[in-house]
Amino acid sequence: MSFSAKYDSSTCPKRRAPIEAGEEVETYSVGRINRYEHVLCPKTADVTCSICGDRWIECDCP
């Protein structure tokens, strides 16, 4: 489930990008601890696939 962050938080574990208020985040659990990460991490959003040239996060290439 994704939602908009109300406050600045720590960093996204995907690429160590800071989570800022207003960004779309989702939660996951590590044991009893809840963690937050970007739905679409800004540091991975502009990476392109070397096979098809589309955005890496959206491509279906193997």
Side-chain angles (χ1 to χ4, degrees):
M1 184 173 112
S2 65
F3 56 93
S4 293
K6 289 185 180 181
Y7 307 102
D8 290 347
S9 184
S10 58
T11 58
C12 175
K14 288 181 182 177
R15 296 289 179 184
R16 304 280 184 224
I19 296 174
E20 298 176 358
E23 294 180 327
E24 289 294 313
V25 294
E26 58 189 7
T27 184
Y28 66 98
S29 296
V30 179
R32 294 183 179 189
I33 301 170
N34 288 333
R35 304 280 185 191
Y36 301 96
E37 63 184 27
H38 290 106
V39 173
L40 179 60
C41 189
K43 288 192 175 184
T44 60
D46 295 329
V47 177
T48 58
C49 174
S50 60
I51 297 170
C52 67
D54 287 340
R55 288 175 36 177
W56 176 79
I57 199 84
E58 297 172 347
C59 110
D60 293 332
C61 294

